[in-house]
Amino acid sequence: MPTIEQVFAKQGALAGVIQGFTPRKAQTDMAEAVQQAIKNKQQLVVEAGTGTGKTFAYLAPALLSSKKVVVSTGTKNLQEQLFHRDLPLLKKALATNKRTVLLKGRSNYLCLHRLSQHGGKSNLVDKSVLHELTLVRQWASGTKSGDIGELKSLPEDARVLPFVTSTQDNCLGKDCPDYEDCYLVKARREALDADLVVVNHHLFFADMALKDTGFGELIPDADVILFDEAHQIPDIASEYFGESLSSRQLQDLGMDLELVYRTKLKDAQQLSKVAEKLRYITGDLRLLFPEQGEKGNWRLALEREDVQAQLGKLHEILDLVYEVVKLHLGRDKDLDTIYERCAQARSQLERLTDVDKKGVSLWYETTIKHIVLHLTPLSIARRFADYMAEPKRTWVFTSATLMVGGGFEHFIRQMGLQGAQTLALDSPFDYQQQALLCVPRYLPEPSAFAMRQTLTGIAQQLIKASNGRCFLLFTSHAMLREVADGLEAVIDNPILVQGSTSKRALLEAYLQADNAVLLGTGAFWEGVDVRGDALTCVLIDKLPFAAPDDPLLEARIEDCRKHGGNPFAQIQIPQAVITLKQGAGRLIRDSADRGVLVICDNRLVTRDYGKTFLASLPDMRRTRTLDSALTFLKQIQENQVT
């Protein structure tokens, strides 16, 4: 096997498979640090600036080791990119035949049992879903993996998916008549035999939470755990270390109960009656909240008499469902599973209405049709530290955005890391030559009414100077819509607005046009890689502090105060710094890129904490004069033409 130095050398293994490969010291340094961490079973935290090549820097030592490795990425898209593009290239370079497997969550795999339950004449679904069911059946007859992602004729949010995939709730496990042919089981068996398994953070922590319940594990035990996009972990882990119960879950339980009655136990009409009542009562709980989706403090909502009364009805119907199903236990495997789901829902509802529980946030969120109740721990540090303690293994956390104000203290504290090695690697890009940061003078305060008009005016000038090719990133949907409406009247460039279609479709439309402008919120602040002339300007409306009325943030702030801390310095600023770094990172993605970053928030220069934000951004040239930014954009345009 080659050494790390030989892999990343000018005439090394990677140079043999990547045309124009250039050695980068930061990439080699990271690879050597990861190799050392694997050897010594250490915790390692690495911030690798954009362009470092961190994917190869952790994959190479992972493949060179003799250890079992799990790599966890931020999203399914990144997971597939790593597995289908990066791993094959590196395996070819290293001439290794190590077994690598892509493992997704259960909702990505066809459930043969659920498919068989919904026969061609199912009257529980409407005509559009029946049409989608036909497409699924046609595909199912030929698929080998059962990965729903293969079925390109279905949209990502197809209504048929819940009918042909399983959940942790309704899966029969080894009692399933299709267990031996189960695609999820086959995928897990492949993962057990593989040397390297690629998952995503949601799957990793869902499995980690499942492990605590005593049920089977989806992700096999590994010697090395590598987290890419590790800045996302604290929030994702909090979600899985807590509990949630949704009206969708309860209505699905009612639908599955109805399905059992209609297909298996037609003599048990009481099952149908309690199922219908459960669906109605759950739906009525959602109607007690505003039509538009919102997040709120569940403890406060529980003080409302109408909410208390409806919850009383929900407790009663769950008790009734439990007793009715209990009468028919043993008659059908699916019904036995529904009994367990009902018992779990009753217990969860008790915990989610316990306002005296300490160290957690009780909050709710609503969509157009549903309500979800959440119990989220305020800190995951102790729980995660316990998980990492035994057995002793290697843990590597990497991202382009982990440091705040030049240090890793915030991330280390959040994750409960003890004795972790840290490594900060600057981007190889020449930001002084490639990019300009502009904080325009004479801006209104971020919350001022005049800011909408100011932003529209600045955006209009930037769009004209760059001939489109702009990302306008916002911290709120309201400001996004207002600026989009304002621009419609004053520019001719194609305007692409988040929410009008899928993220992927918007990006494709942006890249196809040579003068488009894309307006986005959170979804476009990270995980978007647009290189070259297609993107020369990124505008950010203001510093991305989380909404102060966010119930989970409120609870963390209150808890921080109780412990004598400074929540603004310890929670709000670090969180906003990392988000701003992600947004700013959209601009320069390649050594040949050039562009302007405009941040329309004078707090960067008028408040002391602005220094923390500026110190965390790449070392770009800076200006307070918008004309300088416009001139730089025009120069980029001229160079592209010539």
Side-chain angles (χ1 to χ4, degrees):
M1 278 290 191
T3 64
I4 291 295
E5 193 172 324
Q6 289 169 337
V7 172
F8 294 97
K10 190 172 183 179
Q11 304 297 329
L14 277 175
V17 297
I18 301 176
Q19 190 174 1
F21 175 80
T22 304
R24 284 165 275 187
K25 185 177 185 303
Q27 187 177 44
T28 307
D29 288 348
M30 178 175 171
E32 288 176 341
V34 172
Q35 187 175 62
Q36 196 66 23
I38 293 174
K39 179 182 177 182
N40 298 331
K41 294 187 177 181
Q42 292 172 312
Q43 298 171 8
L44 174 66
V45 182
V46 185
E47 175 167 296
T50 307
T52 302
K54 60 182 168 65
T55 306
F56 285 173
Y58 63 71
L59 284 179
L63 288 172
L64 289 172
S65 76
S66 59
K67 308 293 186 182
K68 175 99 174 181
V69 180
V70 168
V71 177
S72 182
T73 66
T75 63
K76 281 193 291 187
N77 285 341
L78 286 172
Q79 187 185 359
E80 292 189 341
Q81 176 182 304
L82 189 150
F83 184 78
H84 293 297
R85 189 187 73 181
D86 300 330
L87 264 175
L89 202 61
L90 198 53
K91 286 170 71 175
K92 181 180 178 182
L94 300 177
T96 179
N97 58 359
K98 285 202 166 184
R99 292 193 61 185
T100 55
V101 167
L102 178 69
L103 186 61
K104 299 181 180 180
R106 66 165 64 245
S107 64
N108 294 278
Y109 296 98
L110 174 69
C111 174
L112 294 168
H113 179 59
R114 298 277 292 170
L115 181 63
S116 67
Q117 278 186 305
H118 294 282
K121 297 180 180 179
S122 174
N123 53 5
L124 287 177
V125 297
D126 60 31
K127 289 182 179 178
S128 65
V129 177
L130 283 174
H131 171 67
E132 291 177 345
L133 265 173
T134 302
L135 295 177
V136 172
R137 281 197 198 88
Q138 290 171 351
W139 163 76
S141 63
T143 182
K144 292 183 179 179
S145 71
D147 184 346
I148 296 288
E150 294 176 354
L151 196 48
K152 303 300 182 185
S153 56
L154 280 185
E156 291 179 5
D157 58 350
R159 291 176 60 200
V160 74
L161 295 181
F163 297 100
V164 296
T165 59
S166 70
T167 65
Q168 185 185 326
D169 287 340
N170 60 32
C171 176
L172 297 180
K174 291 184 178 179
D175 291 329
C176 179
D178 296 295
Y179 181 78
E180 289 304 319
D181 296 319
C182 176
Y183 292 112
L184 181 65
V185 172
K186 288 178 180 177
R188 182 175 178 269
R189 284 174 181 160
E190 287 184 15
L192 286 169
D193 294 334
D195 300 296
L196 188 148
V197 185
V198 181
V199 300
N200 62 64
H201 299 339
H202 284 279
L203 174 56
F204 184 92
F205 285 101
D207 183 66
M208 188 169 161
L210 192 63
K211 192 178 291 187
D212 286 346
T213 68
F215 292 102
E217 301 154 36
L218 190 59
I219 299 171
D221 281 333
D223 306 302
V224 180
I225 311 289
L226 294 164
F227 288 109
D228 200 346
E229 301 298 320
H231 64 279
Q232 298 177 3
I233 293 175
D235 285 341
I236 293 174
S238 293
E239 178 185 337
Y240 288 100
F241 286 170
E243 288 193 72
S244 65
L245 180 66
S246 70
S247 57
R248 180 186 292 276
Q249 282 175 268
L250 296 177
Q251 293 193 341
D252 284 350
L253 190 151
M255 285 189 65
D256 289 345
L257 194 54
E258 180 75 16
L259 187 62
V260 168
Y261 161 67
R262 294 195 184 192
T263 59
K264 304 279 187 64
L265 305 180
K266 296 180 181 179
D267 61 330
Q269 191 177 9
Q270 190 69 10
L271 295 176
S272 177
K273 290 181 178 179
V274 294
E276 183 179 22
K277 198 169 182 181
L278 175 62
R279 293 200 300 272
Y280 277 124
I281 289 173
T282 307
D284 286 346
L285 177 64
R286 169 63 186 93
L287 294 176
L288 298 180
F289 296 86
E291 183 178 348
Q292 292 301 314
E294 66 174 15
K295 289 183 180 181
N297 187 319
W298 183 234
R299 293 179 198 268
L300 293 179
L302 285 169
E303 295 176 3
R304 288 170 44 183
E305 289 185 8
D306 56 347
V307 172
Q308 290 178 11
Q310 195 62 30
L311 281 172
K313 294 178 182 178
L314 186 55
H315 278 290
E316 287 176 7
I317 187 59
L318 281 173
D319 288 344
L320 185 57
V321 170
Y322 181 82
E323 293 301 329
V324 170
V325 173
K326 190 176 181 179
L327 295 172
H328 300 279
L329 281 179
R331 295 185 64 190
D332 178 76
K333 293 292 185 185
D334 287 298
L335 192 70
D336 293 351
T337 301
I338 288 171
Y339 178 75
E340 293 171 6
R341 288 163 62 187
C342 184
Q344 185 179 11
R346 292 167 79 208
S347 301
Q348 284 182 310
L349 193 59
E350 289 290 344
R351 291 190 290 274
L352 287 161
T353 51
D354 180 5
V355 295
D356 297 322
K357 192 169 180 64
K358 306 296 182 187
V360 300
S361 171
L362 291 176
W363 57 287
Y364 70 88
E365 60 182 328
T366 57
T367 61
I368 294 297
K369 293 184 178 180
H370 294 285
I371 181 168
V372 189
L373 312 181
H374 295 276
L375 182 156
T376 305
L378 300 179
S379 171
I380 65 163
R382 182 177 298 176
R383 181 96 173 264
F384 195 71
D386 289 345
Y387 186 83
M388 286 190 294
E390 292 295 335
K392 188 172 175 60
R393 61 179 97 178
T394 301
W395 296 83
V396 177
F397 306 85
T398 185
S399 169
T401 55
L402 290 177
M403 298 173 73
V404 176
F408 290 98
E409 292 81 5
H410 174 67
F411 182 77
I412 286 173
R413 184 175 65 248
Q414 278 186 305
M415 299 301 298
L417 304 181
Q418 297 169 346
Q421 303 294 307
T422 60
L423 180 63
L425 299 166
D426 291 333
S427 168
F429 300 153
D430 186 353
Y431 282 99
Q432 280 286 313
Q433 296 299 315
Q434 292 179 244
L436 183 68
L437 167 63
C438 177
V439 183
R441 286 194 178 93
Y442 314 122
L443 292 168
E445 286 300 305
S447 58
F449 181 75
M451 182 52 90
R452 170 197 168 280
Q453 190 172 353
T454 300
L455 280 172
T456 305
I458 291 173
Q460 182 184 359
Q461 294 179 71
L462 293 169
I463 292 164
K464 182 179 179 182
S466 61
N467 188 29
R469 302 174 181 183
C470 295
F471 272 16
L472 310 182
L473 301 179
F474 297 87
T475 54
S476 74
H477 289 279
M479 185 62 83
L480 180 152
R481 287 192 296 269
E482 289 184 6
V483 173
D485 290 343
L487 288 174
E488 288 277 5
V490 295
I491 67 169
D492 296 324
N493 305 65
I495 298 175
L496 305 169
V497 181
Q498 181 179 334
S500 59
T501 184
S502 71
K503 179 178 177 181
R504 182 181 297 178
L506 279 175
L507 276 175
E508 287 175 357
Y510 178 86
L511 292 170
Q512 284 170 5
D514 60 0
N515 64 337
V517 182
L518 192 149
L519 287 76
T521 56
F524 285 92
W525 284 66
E526 62 177 290
V528 178
D529 190 9
V530 178
R531 302 184 182 211
D533 300 343
L535 179 61
T536 58
C537 180
V538 172
L539 177 145
I540 292 175
D541 69 334
K542 64 178 179 178
L543 297 180
F545 287 107
D549 59 351
D550 179 89
L552 184 53
L553 178 61
E554 276 183 343
R556 284 176 174 156
I557 288 173
E558 183 60 30
D559 185 64
C560 185
R561 285 199 188 105
K562 284 179 181 176
H563 290 86
N566 179 341
F568 189 63
Q570 292 175 234
I571 299 174
Q572 291 166 280
I573 287 177
Q575 188 179 58
V577 165
I578 288 170
T579 305
L580 183 68
K581 288 171 71 175
Q582 283 289 334
R586 297 316 96 212
L587 182 64
I588 303 297
R589 306 298 299 174
D590 191 87
S591 59
D593 288 358
R594 299 180 77 204
V596 169
L597 171 66
V598 181
I599 304 176
C600 296
D601 194 328
N602 56 21
R603 291 176 295 181
L604 272 170
V605 290
T606 61
R607 305 291 173 87
D608 282 344
Y609 60 74
K611 297 173 185 174
T612 304
F613 284 91
L614 289 171
S616 300
L617 291 172
D619 183 28
M620 304 176 183
R621 282 182 292 141
R622 298 175 186 173
T623 181
R624 297 294 317 278
T625 307
L626 185 60
D627 284 346
S628 297
L630 298 174
T631 300
F632 188 55
L633 284 171
K634 289 171 184 174
Q635 289 172 354
I636 295 172
Q637 278 285 99
E638 290 167 4
N639 291 338
Q640 288 168 357
V641 171
T642 57

